[in-house]
Amino acid sequence: FEQRFDGDVGVLAMQYADEPSWRAFVGGTGPARESSTALARAVVAAVKSTEPHHRPAVYIYGQSLGAIGADTARSAVTADGDAAVICQTVLAGPPAGTVRRHDPDTLYLLNGSDPVTHWRPSIIWSPPTDPAAASHDLPRPRWLPLVSFLGTSADLLGALSFPAGHGHQYGTEQGTQVRGCVPRAPGRGLVQPIGPRAAS
């Protein structure tokens, strides 16, 4: 994000657990969803209280379990009627089947070699759906019933052992692929672009 916006960036984050992400995921996604929503709503309220020409561009970001929280936060802000305040949501490596798809205001970052984005019980009997947004960073083995499920399950153990851009490791594309912010006023379509400052 600093590269994308020439260092004019402020980052606000909230810790949703004091244990490894995979353990928090197994224990339930509620804390990640709730903390992300609370933080996003607080940021939106602060941004709305500033003069329009001083408002920063706001991006919601999350990786892995954080992507579930970020997606929930975006939905909550939209339900509140404040979607126009958010420029884009960036979801990197969301676990399979946990986030909305085909949202034009969301950038999905999915490494084709990331087992986290493919693992789900249904791959025991049917091949995983390869999202159109997934990069094909490494060749994918042919799907085989049960065998692919066991292989993907084993791959989860080493998902973080890859260099950036492979497996469950994401790199600079997390910030450099975001779009510039052209906020929309409700019912008015595109309005004048604001400056380059970004808050995520």
Side-chain angles (χ1 to χ4, degrees), residues 59-71:
Y59 294 84
I60 298 178
Y61 165 82
Q63 180 178 339
S64 196
L65 177 53
I68 299 172
D71 188 56

Side-chain angles (χ1 to χ4, degrees), residues 126-145:
S126 64
T129 303
D130 194 13
S135 67
H136 297 284
D137 55 307
L138 294 172
R140 290 278 307 281
R142 188 167 62 93
W143 175 82
L144 295 169

Side-chain angles (χ1 to χ4, degrees), residues 161-173:
S161 62
F162 291 90
H166 303 288
H168 201 51
Q169 297 278 24
Y170 292 82
T172 58
E173 76 281 359

Side-chain angles (χ1 to χ4, degrees), residues 72-131:
T72 302
R74 177 64 184 244
S75 294
V77 169
T78 299
D80 294 343
D82 294 323
V85 177
I86 308 299
C87 294
Q88 193 172 33
T89 303
V90 181
L91 305 180
T98 59
V99 301
R100 297 166 300 154
R101 294 284 188 194
H102 313 301
D103 181 345
D105 293 319
T106 299
L107 172 64
Y108 300 93
L109 298 173
L110 307 163
N111 292 332
S113 60
D114 185 355
V116 173
T117 64
H118 299 295
W119 189 94
R120 59 194 325 172
S122 64
I123 64 172
I124 293 174
W125 59 84
S126 64
T129 303
D130 194 13

Side-chain angles (χ1 to χ4, degrees), residues 138-164:
L138 294 172
R140 290 278 307 281
R142 188 167 62 93
W143 175 82
L144 295 169
L146 185 59
V147 173
S148 294
F149 173 79
L150 296 174
T152 303
S153 299
D155 288 345
L156 289 172
L157 299 175
L160 293 172
S161 62
F162 291 90

